[in-house]
Amino acid sequence: MSSDIRNGIYNNLNQKSTEELVEMWQTNDQVEWSALAFEIVQEILQERLGEVPPQDAPVLEHVQDELQDEENLPDDEALKKITSDDNPPVLYNPGEVLWLDRWLKRAAIAAVVVSVVVNLFQVPTLQRVIYSFSLGNPAWNSMAWLLAIVVFIFSAALQSIVYYFSLKALGVILKILMEMEFNSRQG
Amino acid sequence: MTDTNADNFLTVRHKRLMWFAYIAKIMAWVMLVFQVLRVIPSFMDAQSWMPSIGLRELIRVQPAIVVNLIVSWIDFFLRGIVYWLVLKGISLGLYMIVETDLNYRETAEGGSDEQ
């Protein structure tokens, strides 16, 4: 079993280029690679080069802060990288995507406000319609107002939610697509 | 991806997506103009009966009608802006999808050339 494992690791590492193996050997990252892997790399480099280059001091733990700074850039920093890239995209303008995202956020808020106001002005009409079903019974007047307000709250809330989250989601989707396109350009 | 390389890589699907993106971009402006034009008949209708009453008199006696009118115009205008933003977003999104796929194809072809 152990010889199978060793052979498997050997075959995998043997497919790497000599430069990659030298870098791996010299980096000496013992968090990422096992002692067996280093033993096999040493063997392969000895076969290929005739001698093994000197090794750096072993890396026994990763510096998480540096990795996190690189991979989890704040949104602004990441977007600056995308929009100031030396190899810009051909079919679209990243600046336009950011501009559109800003205006989608503003439109989302405006849509909520206008939905509430427009529905608010429908309340008297709605109350008259509901009241008409009671065949003019005065006792139903207050009930009609109450029902009209309930319908207003429900329809305004529903419209607002649909407009707000749709527009916000579109902005987020566009930024994600832009980041995916940027990553595809980096190879 | 460079301009010259893009022409060599475009497949029928890419061209179709880019066509939809182009249509969405045009429709964005069409919808914006259409919604703005919808305000005109309402405005002209208001112009026809407002002079007989007077705007100040109307605001004093029936402020709700004036506010309702203004809100409906803002609603039309806002709808036009929302349609424009959404269709423009769809257009940009489609272009980005095509560009991403072309980049991956270019990278894959570059990798196979090296081998």
Side-chain angles (χ1 to χ4, degrees):
Chain A
M1 180 70 168
S2 62
S3 65
D4 286 340
I5 294 169
R6 198 179 196 285
N7 289 339
I9 296 172
Y10 182 91
N11 290 335
N12 280 338
L13 290 174
N14 203 25
Q15 287 178 14
K16 290 181 182 289
S17 65
T18 307
E19 287 79 26
E20 282 179 304
L21 289 175
V22 166
E23 192 190 337
M24 181 185 155
W25 172 255
Q26 287 178 328
T27 307
N28 200 5
D29 186 345
Q30 298 199 6
V31 176
E32 194 175 343
W33 300 100
S34 65
L36 177 61
F38 280 108
E39 195 185 303
I40 293 169
V41 165
Q42 187 180 20
E43 192 182 310
I44 295 171
L45 288 176
Q46 189 71 43
E47 285 170 14
R48 292 186 189 182
L49 302 174
E51 61 177 5
V52 179
Q55 218 178 5
D56 294 344
V59 174
L60 299 172
E61 63 178 348
H62 283 163
V63 180
Q64 288 297 328
D65 290 342
E66 281 177 13
L67 277 176
Q68 282 174 357
D69 285 345
E70 184 63 35
E71 290 172 5
N72 298 318
L73 281 172
D75 273 347
D76 290 340
E77 291 288 324
L79 291 171
K80 263 184 207 167
K81 267 182 79 176
I82 292 171
T83 52
S84 58
D85 190 42
D86 291 332
N87 178 25
V90 172
L91 297 176
Y92 74 98
N93 181 0
E96 206 177 340
V97 175
L98 298 180
W99 179 89
L100 200 68
D101 177 55
R102 274 199 302 276
W103 276 96
L104 279 167
K105 283 177 188 161
R106 291 170 188 169
I109 295 168
V112 168
V113 170
V114 171
S115 291
V116 169
V117 172
V118 165
N119 278 286
L120 192 62
F121 277 98
Q122 302 297 322
V123 171
T125 310
L126 197 56
Q127 189 273 338
R128 280 195 293 276
V129 168
I130 295 170
Y131 188 56
S132 68
F133 283 113
S134 70
L135 304 174
N137 186 345
W140 271 88
N141 194 28
S142 306
M143 183 59 78
W145 274 112
L146 185 65
L147 283 172
I149 289 168
V150 166
V151 170
F152 152 70
I153 291 170
F154 182 74
S155 66
L158 194 63
Q159 255 186 337
S160 301
I161 287 167
V162 167
Y163 280 134
Y164 184 79
F165 285 111
S166 302
L167 294 172
K168 288 281 279 188
L170 183 60
V172 170
I173 286 168
L174 288 175
K175 284 205 288 193
I176 289 171
L177 282 175
M178 187 169 72
E179 204 171 323
M180 283 170 62
E181 190 277 322
F182 175 75
N183 291 337
S184 73
R185 257 184 288 136
Q186 306 310 304
Chain B
M1 190 190 74
T2 60
D3 280 329
T4 52
N5 289 346
D7 291 337
N8 299 334
F9 281 119
L10 287 178
T11 64
V12 171
R13 282 185 183 172
H14 290 134
K15 288 178 182 170
R16 192 182 297 160
L17 273 181
M18 285 173 67
W19 172 244
F20 283 132
Y22 178 71
I23 294 293
K25 196 165 63 171
I26 301 297
M27 285 306 297
W29 286 105
V30 169
M31 289 307 293
L32 178 63
V33 169
F34 177 68
Q35 287 296 125
V36 169
L37 289 177
R38 277 183 75 184
V39 173
I40 294 175
S42 173
F43 183 73
M44 287 170 71
D45 181 53
Q47 288 275 62
S48 66
W49 51 261
M50 213 172 279
S52 61
I53 303 168
L55 180 62
R56 285 187 184 182
E57 187 67 23
L58 189 62
I59 292 172
R60 194 177 66 82
V61 173
Q62 291 277 6
I65 292 177
V66 177
V67 175
N68 204 0
L69 207 57
I70 294 170
V71 166
S72 69
W73 293 342
I74 293 172
D75 186 36
F76 283 137
F77 191 59
L78 184 66
R79 278 172 199 246
I81 291 175
V82 168
Y83 287 140
W84 187 89
L85 288 170
V86 168
L87 286 167
K88 200 79 171 84
I90 289 170
S91 172
L92 276 176
L94 288 173
Y95 278 128
M96 282 192 276
I97 288 169
V98 170
E99 181 112 28
T100 305
D101 189 60
L102 289 174
N103 290 338
Y104 279 129
R105 281 168 184 258
E106 193 178 347
T107 307
E109 295 217 359
S112 63
D113 286 344
E114 279 173 15
Q115 287 174 2

